Amino acid sequence: MASNETAPAPVTTKDLKRVLTFKDLLLTSIGGIIGAGIMSIMGITIGMTGRSVPISLLFAAVFVLLGITPIIISGTVRIRGGQYTMVGMLAGKKLSGLFIIINVATNISLSMYALSFADYFLAFVPQVPRKLIAIAVLTLFWALNMFGIDKMAKLPELVPEI
């Protein structure tokens, strides 16, 4: 028996809502760079490279510029599948696989932010366990992400007011 139900029309990239402004994206990027590069791993970098920190930061800048190329291109081309599809189209299957591995490692390293925050927080409240603080921070940001990317992008604007 055939069903009288019709299949829903496929969603195209033209139907996607653009909820992030340039300011939202810029503040999120700056926050990520300051959070990861300046606050979290500068001490580790100094320990590993000593007085060569400026050289290591230049190398890091080159890799960051290579990494944001799909993001820059996506400002002009709308493709379903995001950065993975963009890398696959530009660089092929092998490099898009490498992109996924790097993306997974980057997401796992989000715990580094939480642990770094816990280290700073312990200077004020040394009685609280470090892992508990880190788990609380990760849970807080996870919960904020559940409200949508547009709400999460507004967070850097609220931080100076807090």
Side-chain angles (χ1 to χ4, degrees), residues 57-72:
L57 291 176
L58 286 174
F59 276 116
V62 169
F63 287 113
V64 166
L65 290 175
L66 289 173
I68 65 169
T69 301
I71 298 169
I72 293 169

Side-chain angles (χ1 to χ4, degrees), residues 110-111 113-114 133-143:
L110 290 174
S111 61
Y113 294 132
I133 297 169
I135 290 170
V137 168
L138 282 175
T139 304
L140 172 70
F141 281 100
W142 173 82

Side-chain angles (χ1 to χ4, degrees), residues 74-142:
S74 67
T76 57
V77 178
R78 295 183 71 173
I79 297 176
R80 294 190 64 81
Q83 293 178 0
Y84 173 77
T85 302
M86 188 80 59
V87 172
M89 286 176 31
L90 294 172
K93 290 182 180 180
K94 288 184 181 180
L95 285 180
S96 59
L98 178 63
F99 172 79
I100 287 298
I101 292 169
I102 292 170
N103 195 14
V104 168
T106 301
N107 287 322
I108 290 172
S109 72
L110 290 174
S111 61
M112 176 183 65
Y113 294 132
L115 289 170
S116 295
F117 176 83
D119 289 338
Y120 285 110
F121 190 79
L122 285 174
F124 300 108
V125 186
Q127 301 85 5
V128 183
R130 180 178 184 237
K131 287 183 182 178
L132 180 65
I133 297 169
I135 290 170
V137 168
L138 282 175
T139 304
L140 172 70
F141 281 100
W142 173 82

Side-chain angles (χ1 to χ4, degrees), residues 41-50 53:
I41 62 172
M42 187 58 71
I44 296 168
T45 306
I46 292 170
M48 292 174 71
T49 62
V53 170

